[in-house]
Amino acid sequence: NAGVTQTPKFQVLKTGQSMTLQCAQDMNHNSMYWYRQDPGMGLRLIYYSASEGTTDKGEVPNGYNVSRLNKREFSLRLESAAPSQTSVYFCASSESYGGPLLEQFFGPGTRLTVL
Amino acid sequence: AQSVTQLGSHVSVSEGALVLLRCNYSSSVPPYLFWYVQYPNQGLQLLLKYTSAATLVKGINGFEAEFKKSETSFHLTKPSAHMSDAAEYFCAVSGNAGNMLTFGGGTRLMVKP
């Protein structure tokens, strides 16, 4: 039982390049999330998927797209990377969306630098 | 609407001293409250959660938190700090189904020998 896995662990991009961050969970959770973490700002929600087949914008969606490929996988795409997207990205999953079952399980993170 | 405020971005204690990390929240519905810990270069792990069953919640590694509705607080405490407690701690709040988890800005705990 690996929990939540993310690839890659580290990435350096040049401005304008694109990339996809991959996330998978093996806990049969319905809901998945992408966050970014910046110093002093805690975690901010980029996009989430309350259930398979649905995705919605979070607090900071601009510059990102997501795909809920199936129940296990939720990817985050940067179409044209900008230095402002330099951050640590975390994927998380939870059994359900909202309420006491909202306990989220986090992956180890992807550290992205955009030059 | 909901929000979380963590007072003190950095807290330093001596080994063996009391740990107190402050969290105040606002929520338009009865809240569910969480404390997460993040060790260096790792993801977040759940320490404890409040889901209205009991106001004093015990978590892992000797931590506990008390929900005080009148003060809209959910402060995290540990009687005696250990070097291994050095980490960043995040308080988070959610309401009923359909409300997202909102995180505070985090508090970095440093433990001095």
Side-chain angles (χ1 to χ4, degrees):
Chain A
N1 190 339
V4 180
T5 57
Q6 292 182 236
T7 55
K9 285 188 167 56
F10 300 94
Q11 184 71 49
V12 178
L13 293 177
K14 294 181 180 177
T15 297
Q17 288 185 316
S18 63
M19 78 161 296
T20 299
L21 283 64
Q22 306 286 355
C23 174
Q25 52 92 9
D26 62 1
M27 295 172 282
N28 200 35
H29 284 169
N30 291 305
S31 303
M32 297 185 74
Y33 313 82
W34 276 106
Y35 292 91
R36 61 178 288 172
Q37 183 181 30
D38 302 291
M41 303 187 76
L43 276 75
R44 293 182 292 169
L45 184 66
I46 305 171
Y47 270 93
Y48 66 97
S49 171
S51 60
E52 187 179 357
T54 70
T55 60
D56 284 288
K57 295 178 181 179
E59 182 185 353
V60 288
N62 291 346
Y64 305 95
N65 285 300
V66 290
S67 296
R68 184 74 182 267
L69 304 169
N70 47 55
K71 192 171 185 179
R72 290 187 63 248
E73 298 172 287
F74 189 39
S75 64
L76 177 72
R77 183 160 178 84
L78 286 70
E79 291 291 352
S80 179
S84 61
Q85 294 179 303
T86 293
S87 187
V88 182
Y89 291 85
F90 288 100
C91 178
S93 69
S94 66
E95 189 170 342
S96 79
Y97 176 60
L101 297 178
L102 184 54
E103 174 186 343
Q104 294 183 10
F105 295 79
F106 285 80
T110 294
R111 195 170 296 271
L112 175 67
T113 301
V114 183
L115 302 175
Chain B
Q2 54 196 35
S3 66
V4 177
T5 301
Q6 291 184 240
L7 293 175
S9 59
H10 292 79
V11 170
S12 181
V13 300
S14 298
E15 193 172 19
L18 171 72
V19 175
L20 170 60
L21 304 182
R22 299 178 186 274
C23 172
N24 288 89
Y25 70 91
S26 68
S27 176
S28 57
V29 296
Y32 299 109
L33 294 155
F34 305 80
W35 274 101
Y36 284 85
V37 60
Q38 183 182 31
Y39 297 104
N41 300 313
Q42 294 187 27
L44 279 70
Q45 304 172 32
L46 183 71
L47 265 182
L48 50 81
K49 62 180 177 182
Y50 166 76
T51 58
S52 77
T55 56
L56 183 62
V57 181
K58 293 187 185 299
I60 61 172
N61 300 337
F63 284 93
E64 63 181 35
E66 186 172 10
F67 171 66
K68 292 188 176 181
K69 184 178 179 180
S70 60
E71 298 177 8
T72 60
S73 69
F74 191 56
H75 301 331
L76 182 70
T77 60
K78 182 174 180 178
S80 177
H82 193 273
M83 296 297 290
S84 61
D85 296 326
E88 189 154 21
Y89 293 79
F90 293 93
C91 182
V93 64
S94 175
N96 293 325
N99 286 2
M100 289 178 270
L101 199 61
T102 300
F103 286 85
T107 297
R108 185 168 298 279
L109 175 66
M110 294 167 284
V111 182
K112 299 175 291 187

